Amino acid sequence: MSKQLMKRLYACAASLSVAAGASAISTTSSLAQVNEIVVTAQKREQLLSDVPIAVSAYSSDQLQKSGVTDLRSLMSLSPGLVTTSTDSETDGTTFRLRGIGTTGQNIGIEGAVGVFLDGIYISRAGIALTDLPDVERIEVLRGPQGTLFGRNTSAGTINVITKAPEHEFGGMAEATYGNYDYVNIKGAVTGPVAEDVLAVRLSASYTMRDGFIDDLVTGQDYNDRDRWGLRGSFLLTPNDDVSLRVTADYAEADESCCAAVTRSDLGGISLIQGALGAAFVAPAKPFARKAAYNSPFTQNVDNWGISGELNWDLNETITMTTILSYRDWDAFQQSDVDFTNLDILNRNGRNDGVETFSAEMRFNGQFDRVNWLVGGYYADEALRRSEDFSFGADTELFLNTTLNALSGGAWIGILGGYSGLTGLAPGTVFPDGAGAVSSILNQDGEQWALFTHNVIDVTDDLRLTAGVRYTEETKKATGTMTTINPGCSAMLPIAAGFPMASPLFPLVAQAAGAACLPLWGPVPDFGGKRKETEWSGTVKLDYDLTEEVIAYASASRGYKGGGFNLDRTAALGGANPQFKGEFVNSYEAGIRGIFLDNRLAMNGAVFYAKYKDFQLLTFNGVQFITENVSKVDTMGAELDFQASLAEGFDVFGGVSYTEAEYGNGVAAPLTGRQITNAPKWVFTGGATYTRPIGNSGLDGFLHSDFRFDSGANTGSNLDPRKIQDDYIVVNLRGGVSFDDGRWELEGWARNVLDQNYIQVAFDQPLTTLASPSTINAFLAEPRTYGVTGRLNF
């Protein structure tokens, strides 16, 4: 981050703080107060200011004003959260908190940031990327949350709570139109079926938008939106002691996602250009948002589930909560794996499926000075993946031309290329449509856990929290591979019998390796089983500095489950390609509360965490797989606030500083360096101003928010060419309402400054045969704008 920019940001923050303090102190109106949010971060209903953990909560009104429609766009409010997507949102999306997240497209990998929807664990980030038309609030819990939320929350938790049915009729309808032909229609309705006994709620959303990247060859656009969803629930309250909520939802997407652009061409692309000649379409500058492919990018998703939550007050002090859930998620993906218009390698289809049944039961009560909670959890999950990688019409031409260029003409001039060396006719060495014609991978997992979480009032002002969780998990995985590759079959015996003393032996060996690359060559079937029994827990002390301010300190242990690389190339690691579980010991201290007569809510924390056996995405020469590295350390500080400066004038902001570095024992190029997509500095802030417009009966509002990220490397291997420099994104929204907010009309713009920045950079496949390789990148969204009309009833 430049010193000049830092000074500007600090000046803005200082000015905002002074203005907030001065205005709050001078304002005597009782209406100028922050609205406290009730959260369930400790699986009990508590005021946000009373929770002794680093948690931020965002209400439905905040989410609406900031234009947050899904978990990707939550970044504009949450400084500790970083979200990225790669060539598939279904299995290429990563959530990071405090610099820690898990990358990779292996369906066997689970994220370090757990996502929960109405108390139900969503086991893959891509499953959580549906539109959010009817949300009550979103809670972001930073740091390990393994005691109450279980494994796979080693970095934190995103807790989404939807709106419950109400016994009073109401609802909303909304329509939006924007650039890129963006259309969004959503609505919700709730009301009683039987007075005070049965209520229902229904919501729906539909989104369509053109893509942000154009194909120079076909004219097609990529990274579009075409999705819809339905959600319905009923709430049964037969008496004051019992409530049962049952929810069913369904979502579908049929989109062209997700394309990349060429960011750095330093040699690798010339191999492809040399093979294709005049037909090759050269890459444009990255932020021209142009690309050229020979096969489509397709993403089709079906996602549905049903759940039930029973709350029963067994007596005056004990409540039982039971949650049952079944979810089914299916995704199909097709993509151009070589990312050019040369027909070298295609993914003709990847079919993924995740079926999950889960059950949780817990009891919460008060005994003297102890608020206790005990519970149990069970989950059964089945994963499946089938995919194929096939040769294209240009595979043989590409490999022959590449090897000939790298050998100074010896490959074809002396050895005659693949056809001359093997005796196979041209066009039959790597036949179009052959290759890795089938990869079928399956994993079945079963998990159960017992946990307790207890808050003890040591004195009237001092509390001790102690919690522990025992988890046992078993996973079984299989992989069955089918390959048709005449070129590899012919080259292996030729390379084995070629004289090692010959100066051409290295070239023949290299050619055999290229012919048998795991993406299209034979790999062994595999199968394996792993069992984990692990403990996680937490200890906290919090103290009332005043009636409205607490200070706390905590130590927590969390972990993320190990698993299998469910990928054909991972089988090269042996018959049982596993990675170990990830563990973290975390320490935190903070202060949070309400200040200045309820006009300022502020939360701050410092933290330090040591990760062992960190699960890192690594490149095995052909494909990215997950491996364990011995150590990652993360430390930093964070602060966020909300303030009501005057009636109708609210501001908010946040800052996080994070050092997340690879420790000793990691490969030398990574040791001591900041890990992937972990900006050291993030600033967020914004303001909303609402007031009547004269005597017109109209109320007007203006809202603005921003997010600043300091520079970060977006690649797993920390190649300097993958660095994204500092950037800032500014969003604006303004409008009018009348009839006491019944009707609303808004204009909005996101990324107003049209800031160009990348999410993830990666080595373009196949160009790694050259040095240096070509770097591609997945881009963030450009400027978007539009208008929204809303009816509240």
Side-chain angles (χ1 to χ4, degrees):
M1 183 190 303
S2 69
K3 291 184 178 180
Q4 184 179 11
L5 185 54
M6 280 294 296
K7 289 179 179 179
R8 291 177 182 174
L9 288 169
Y10 279 130
C12 290
S15 299
L16 186 57
S17 298
V18 171
S23 180
I25 292 171
S26 64
T27 301
T28 59
S29 170
S30 62
L31 296 177
Q33 296 183 349
V34 295
N35 295 317
E36 280 234 68
I37 298 177
V38 175
V39 298
T40 52
Q42 296 193 119
K43 300 212 170 177
R44 309 160 169 88
E45 289 192 350
Q46 297 173 281
L47 290 175
L48 177 61
S49 59
D50 292 337
V51 180
I53 58 177
V55 54
S56 300
Y58 307 100
S59 67
S60 58
D61 183 63
Q62 288 175 288
L63 298 173
Q64 178 180 300
K65 288 289 194 301
S66 296
V68 175
T69 57
D70 59 23
L71 293 183
R72 279 179 301 255
S73 49
L74 187 61
M75 281 178 58
S76 62
L77 294 175
S78 180
L81 177 66
V82 174
T83 304
T84 57
S85 294
T86 56
D87 70 331
S88 170
E89 291 178 342
T90 59
D91 58 8
T93 295
T94 300
F95 298 117
R96 294 177 176 85
L97 286 170
R98 292 179 172 173
I100 301 297
T102 306
T103 58
Q105 296 185 9
N106 170 10
I107 196 173
I109 300 173
E110 294 156 294
V113 178
V115 179
F116 290 78
L117 177 64
D118 291 331
I120 298 156
Y121 176 54
I122 307 299
S123 64
R124 302 296 183 277
I127 304 177
L129 288 183
T130 56
D131 288 343
L132 302 172
D134 208 21
V135 171
E136 178 68 28
R137 68 182 183 277
I138 299 177
E139 303 167 4
V140 179
L141 291 66
R142 300 179 292 277
Q145 306 296 326
T147 308
L148 287 172
F149 291 92
R151 81 206 205 305
N152 304 331
T153 58
S154 56
T157 296
I158 300 174
N159 194 23
V160 181
I161 296 90
T162 63
K163 292 182 178 179
E166 301 176 14
H167 289 282
E168 183 176 340
F169 179 76
M172 57 82 68
E174 180 180 295
T176 297
Y177 181 77
N179 62 332
Y180 294 97
D181 281 336
Y182 173 68
V183 174
N184 176 256
I185 300 171
K186 60 184 178 182
V189 62
T190 187
V193 175
E195 187 174 357
D196 297 328
V197 175
L198 181 63
V200 298
R201 189 176 197 97
L202 300 172
S203 62
S205 66
Y206 169 77
T207 302
M208 179 173 284
R209 190 204 65 208
D210 293 341
F212 298 134
I213 295 179
D214 295 323
D215 194 308
L216 293 167
V217 178
T218 66
Q220 181 179 352
D221 58 78
Y222 302 109
N223 300 9
D224 63 347
R225 286 283 181 270
D226 187 355
R227 56 182 59 180
W228 60 274
L230 297 170
R231 184 177 185 86
S233 62
F234 72 79
L235 178 64
L236 178 65
T237 51
N239 55 55
D240 292 339
D241 298 326
V242 176
S243 68
L244 172 65
R245 181 181 175 184
V246 176
T247 302
D249 64 89
Y250 179 84
E252 187 175 299
D254 183 4
E255 299 168 343
S256 297
C257 189
C258 303
V261 299
T262 299
R263 189 183 197 218
S264 173
D265 177 16
L266 296 178
I269 203 74
S270 63
L271 298 178
I272 296 177
Q273 185 172 8
L276 194 58
F280 175 74
V281 177
K285 293 181 179 180
F287 293 106
R289 300 182 184 271
K290 306 290 184 182
Y293 302 112
N294 69 283
S295 63
F297 285 78
T298 301
Q299 175 178 282
N300 300 328
V301 180
D302 293 305
N303 184 7
W304 68 274
I306 185 168
S307 64
E309 177 176 339
L310 173 66
N311 289 282
W312 186 359
D313 294 333
L314 301 179
N315 56 38
E316 292 183 356
T317 61
I318 300 177
T319 298
M320 179 189 75
T321 299
T322 301
I323 302 175
L324 301 176
S325 170
Y326 175 82
R327 295 210 64 86
D328 184 275
W329 177 81
D330 294 287
F332 171 81
Q333 183 199 3
Q334 184 178 11
S335 60
D336 188 346
V337 181
D338 56 70
F339 289 93
T340 72
N341 69 308
L342 180 60
D343 189 13
I344 305 174
L345 181 65
N346 297 298
R347 177 185 285 132
N348 299 318
R350 170 187 283 174
N351 291 280
D352 289 340
V354 180
E355 293 182 67
T356 308
F357 169 78
S358 65
E360 179 174 343
M361 178 178 287
R362 59 181 187 265
F363 297 86
N364 176 217
Q366 186 78 33
F367 177 73
D368 195 16
R369 301 178 72 88
V370 179
N371 185 294
W372 55 269
L373 185 151
V374 296
Y377 179 82
Y378 173 81
D380 185 280
E381 184 173 73
L383 308 180
R384 61 187 184 277
R385 165 169 286 182
S386 63
E387 64 180 339
D388 72 272
F389 294 95
S390 67
F391 298 131
D394 299 316
T395 306
E396 187 173 340
L397 172 64
F398 166 72
L399 291 177
N400 273 327
T401 306
T402 297
L403 290 168
N404 204 51
L406 295 177
S407 66
W411 172 245
I412 295 177
I414 299 176
L415 295 174
Y418 279 109
S419 182
L421 196 60
T422 64
L424 298 173
T428 66
V429 183
F430 305 105
D432 190 4
V437 296
S438 176
S439 302
I440 300 175
L441 307 121
N442 294 282
Q443 177 179 294
D444 293 316
E446 190 174 34
Q447 174 205 162
W448 65 270
L450 298 174
F451 57 91
T452 181
H453 186 272
N454 309 285
V455 182
I456 304 166
D457 292 331
V458 180
T459 69
D460 290 344
D461 296 324
L462 179 66
R463 287 162 297 279
L464 169 67
T465 300
V468 66
R469 188 183 189 103
Y470 173 81
T471 301
E472 183 172 299
E473 181 178 42
T474 303
K475 291 178 179 177
K476 300 177 183 179
T478 61
T480 303
M481 317 299 176
T482 303
T483 307
I484 300 174
N485 189 333
C488 176
S489 300
M491 283 299 301
L492 288 177
I494 291 173
F498 204 86
M500 294 186 65
S502 169
L504 294 175
F505 175 77
L507 177 58
V508 174
Q510 183 183 35
C516 300
L517 286 173
L519 280 173
W520 52 50
V523 295
D525 295 345
F526 71 88
K529 177 181 178 180
R530 61 177 293 115
K531 183 178 181 179
E532 297 177 344
T533 56
E534 303 295 347
W535 293 89
S536 53
T538 188
V539 176
K540 301 184 181 75
L541 280 174
D542 65 280
Y543 181 76
D544 293 335
L545 299 177
T546 70
E547 289 186 1
E548 297 174 323
V549 180
I550 67 169
Y552 69 90
S554 68
S556 300
R557 176 174 172 81
Y559 94 100
K560 187 158 78 72
F564 295 86
N565 279 294
L566 297 180
D567 184 278
R568 66 177 289 114
T569 62
L572 294 178
N576 197 6
Q578 302 185 29
F579 52 89
K580 297 184 292 185
E582 174 183 294
F583 299 87
V584 57
N585 292 322
S586 177
Y587 310 91
E588 181 178 308
I591 185 171
R592 63 186 309 125
I594 306 297
F595 303 86
L596 302 176
D597 296 328
N598 292 338
R599 293 175 176 85
L600 173 65
M602 188 164 59
N603 317 293
V606 293
F607 60 89
Y608 173 69
K610 297 175 67 69
Y611 285 81
K612 178 184 177 183
D613 292 328
F614 182 75
Q615 294 172 6
L616 176 68
L617 191 68
T618 60
F619 191 60
N620 65 6
V622 180
Q623 182 84 350
F624 285 97
I625 63 172
T626 299
E627 296 180 336
N628 295 95
V629 298
S630 58
K631 184 180 178 183
V632 166
D633 294 335
T634 176
M635 62 182 295
E638 52 202 14
L639 175 72
D640 64 84
F641 72 90
Q642 296 183 42
S644 185
L645 303 187
E647 183 179 352
F649 187 25
D650 301 316
V651 299
F652 67 89
V655 58
S656 69
Y657 176 78
T658 305
E659 292 187 6
E661 299 177 346
Y662 295 111
N664 296 328
V666 183
L670 302 181
T671 303
R673 298 178 63 186
Q674 190 86 345
I675 67 176
T676 304
N677 264 312
K680 285 192 174 183
W681 286 99
V682 176
F683 294 87
T684 60
T688 303
Y689 182 58
T690 305
R691 63 166 297 161
I693 302 176
N695 297 319
S696 64
L698 299 176
D699 291 320
F701 86 91
L702 291 173
H703 172 90
S704 177
D705 59 70
F706 75 91
R707 178 185 172 104
F708 168 85
D709 283 46
S710 64
N713 197 306
T714 68
S716 294
N717 62 355
L718 303 186
D719 186 325
R721 294 175 294 163
K722 300 176 181 178
I723 292 175
Q724 169 58 54
D725 294 330
D726 305 347
Y727 69 90
I728 187 168
V729 175
V730 178
N731 306 312
L732 295 174
R733 184 174 292 261
V736 296
S737 65
F738 59 96
D739 195 9
D740 292 327
R742 179 178 175 87
W743 299 92
E744 297 176 307
L745 181 64
E746 302 170 355
W748 53 267
R750 295 186 63 81
N751 192 6
V752 174
L753 303 178
D754 202 18
Q755 179 73 68
N756 289 323
Y757 62 101
I758 65 172
Q759 298 186 78
V760 174
F762 63 100
D763 295 275
Q764 182 171 339
L766 305 181
T767 69
T768 52
L769 292 170
S771 181
S773 63
T774 293
I775 301 298
N776 283 4
F778 297 100
L779 306 182
E781 295 184 353
R783 176 171 53 224
T784 56
Y785 51 86
V787 293
T788 297
R790 186 180 302 109
L791 167 65
N792 299 299
F793 56 90

